[in-house]
Amino acid sequence: PFSFQVYTTDGTTAARVSATGLTPGLSADPVTGIISGSAATKGSSIATLTVTDGSFTATATLQLTFAADSTLPVIISPGFASLTPGEFFTYTISASATCGSLDGTTFTFIGTLPAGLTFDGIDTISGTYIGPLRASGKGGARTPELAGGTVLGSIQLFGTNSQGTGTLPLLFLPAPSGAVNVSTRLQVGTDQNVLIGGFIITGNAPKVVIIRAIGPSTGIPGALQDTTLELHDSANHVVYNDNWNDSQESLIEATAIAPTDFRESAIVIGLDPGSYTAIVAGKNGTTGIGLVEVYDLGTDSLGSSGNSKLANISTRGFVDTGDNVMIGGFIIRHVATRVIVRAIGPELNGSVSGALQDTTLELRDVSGSLIASNDDWRSTQEQEIIDTGVPPTDDRESAIVATLNPGSYTAIVHGKDNTTGVGVVEVYDLGP
């Protein structure tokens, strides 16, 4: 499997890429700028890349060389890495060979590392990223500035042994901030009781995400043993995956968060701003405890001026009792972020059968300590919740508004007095 990321400078979010002369077996995604696939032939070729941005076009050439020698080193570490100013960073270069030994493989690179990072001459890039600087404030004080989609730096990695050299481009990108990923665990049933995750992308550019459907690797009793995943957009176009390594294997591995069991499912995709739905089911109608996860990968578009984010994430499923209540986890990264967490039930009446008729909600930190709890949303924080613009529509539903420091958090939805039914847990990112 092969993957190469095309980026532009000084483009807009409307920029799209096309490629001619690619080695058979490869194709280019016009939105994300990713060239990927498995080459069908060996040898060298020159591909022509064309970026169209409104009435403007730009072209470049890309030389591709594929070898059939299975003893050559192949760099398998991710092709991109996320940086945050002031935070320590480390990246280990790793390689494999289909046949033969990697003994004696050495790693080098060409290009300039982002400020603050160094290479140890063996296999590790590390350091504390200083960040791009701009003049601002009185006296020209200099402060970090990041924007979604910006390329902070790029280098070309090389791994060399006695048989030859393998290479990989490595891009350094700004890490996303705010609510950057969510995972929800519950009992996955059939029909209306499958696990349904919804999310909204806002902004002016595509957002690249990975969606995962996890079951057997949870290791918990009653786990779903084989998952399937469907992604729907508002026009009901569908992307489907059963076993994650059946397609997009190299792209998924490059995220560094590939599922650990081949029976699980995953999709990496660039999505325009809008609403999306991910549906997790058990293969062949099987049931069990499963998770749906959405990760913001922090890459917006092949242009450098994109800005978008995951603004709202929700999950619908059957809320049971004991270990089978609805458990939603989310991560706040890099900046303190204000969120509203909602537990919805009665307002589903008329759209699904068996809706949960009264919800309770707990918000806990990574250690399990209780941050806040709520039964009926008007009982606490009523005005704060109204001011968010997204209060629940039924007084029996629950909501919590909180400003949360970077870290991992869990929202737990119960039915009041151990009642059961179909419910929804939601997290809205309200901004810093």
Side-chain angles (χ1 to χ4, degrees):
F2 170 84
S3 177
F4 182 89
Q5 173 73 63
V6 179
Y7 267 86
T8 69
T9 58
D10 300 324
T12 74
T13 57
R16 297 294 184 265
V17 69
S18 62
T20 58
L22 289 174
T23 302
L26 305 185
S27 62
D29 185 308
V31 174
T32 64
I34 296 174
I35 297 173
S36 62
S38 294
T41 60
K42 64 180 181 179
S44 293
S45 61
I46 298 290
T48 299
L49 309 179
T50 301
V51 171
T52 302
D53 192 356
S55 60
F56 298 94
T57 60
T59 62
T61 58
L62 174 66
Q63 179 173 323
L64 298 170
T65 302
F66 293 94
D69 185 350
S70 59
T71 63
L72 287 172
V74 176
I75 297 176
I76 59 174
S77 44
F80 62 86
S82 297
L83 299 177
T84 301
E87 287 192 8
F88 183 76
F89 167 85
T90 185
Y91 174 95
T92 301
I93 309 168
S94 56
S96 68
T98 306
C99 301
S101 171
L102 281 171
D103 290 346
T105 297
T106 59
F107 297 109
T108 57
F109 73 92
I110 58 172
T112 303
L113 289 170
L117 304 188
T118 59
F119 176 54
D120 67 357
I122 303 173
D123 63 359
T124 302
I125 297 168
S126 62
T128 299
Y129 175 54
I130 295 174
L133 300 176
R134 64 179 175 88
S136 66
K138 292 183 178 180
R142 299 174 73 80
T143 57
E145 180 181 42
L146 295 177
T150 302
V151 180
L152 304 178
S154 63
I155 61 174
Q156 192 78 20
L157 300 175
F158 298 93
T160 302
N161 64 11
S162 59
Q163 302 300 310
T165 297
T167 185
L168 177 80
L170 172 59
L171 292 172
F172 296 94
L173 305 169
S177 61
V180 297
N181 88 283
V182 69
S183 63
T184 304
R185 190 192 93 183
L186 51 69
Q187 179 73 24
V188 180
T190 57
D191 300 323
Q192 289 191 105
N193 293 332
V194 295
L195 179 51
I196 302 175
F199 58 97
I200 295 173
I201 295 172
T202 62
N204 65 353
K207 168 69 67 180
V208 179
V209 299
I210 180 172
I211 304 118
R212 310 196 317 170
I214 304 299
S217 66
T218 63
I220 59 177
L224 193 62
Q225 291 303 299
D226 201 339
T227 66
T228 64
L229 176 63
E230 292 180 8
L231 178 64
H232 296 246
D233 65 12
S234 57
N236 209 33
H237 300 127
V238 180
V239 179
Y240 176 84
N241 179 254
D242 179 4
N243 301 320
W244 69 268
N245 63 322
D246 288 345
S247 59
Q248 293 191 302
E249 182 176 17
S250 60
L251 289 181
I252 293 170
E253 287 179 337
T255 67
I257 49 173
T260 58
D261 192 295
F262 288 148
R263 294 170 291 176
E264 295 170 330
S265 312
I267 296 169
V268 173
I269 192 167
L271 300 173
D272 287 315
S275 301
Y276 299 90
T277 303
I279 301 175
V280 177
K283 190 172 183 178
N284 299 322
T286 53
T287 61
I289 297 173
L291 290 87
V292 62
E293 300 179 318
V294 182
Y295 287 81
D296 180 345
L297 297 179
T299 52
D300 294 313
S301 68
L302 68 101
S304 61
S305 59
N307 189 8
S308 61
K309 70 173 186 175
L310 288 173
N312 160 245
I313 308 164
S314 65
T315 309
R316 192 190 92 185
F318 187 78
V319 181
D320 210 330
T321 59
D323 289 338
N324 295 330
V325 295
M326 180 178 282
I327 303 174
F330 60 99
I331 294 175
I332 303 294
R333 186 178 289 167
H334 305 310
V335 294
T337 300
R338 190 164 176 260
V339 300
I340 179 172
V341 185
R342 311 195 318 168
I344 303 300
E347 71 181 65
L348 299 176
N349 290 332
S351 59
V352 300
S353 59
L356 191 62
Q357 292 305 300
D358 201 337
T359 67
T360 66
L361 175 64
E362 296 177 2
L363 179 61
R364 296 182 179 269
D365 64 17
V366 68
S367 67
S369 299
L370 183 67
I371 298 172
S373 63
N374 179 253
D375 179 5
D376 301 326
W377 70 271
R378 289 187 187 274
S379 63
T380 57
Q381 296 187 299
E382 179 179 10
Q383 191 57 50
E384 275 191 271
I385 293 169
I386 292 172
D387 289 345
T388 67
V390 286
T393 60
D394 192 289
D395 291 352
R396 295 168 292 174
E397 295 170 330
S398 312
I400 296 168
V401 174
T403 298
L404 302 175
N405 289 323
S408 300
Y409 298 89
T410 302
I412 304 174
V413 178
H414 299 259
K416 190 172 182 178
D417 298 325
N418 284 324
T419 52
T420 62
V422 178
V424 174
V425 63
E426 297 180 315
V427 180
Y428 287 78
D429 183 340
L430 302 176

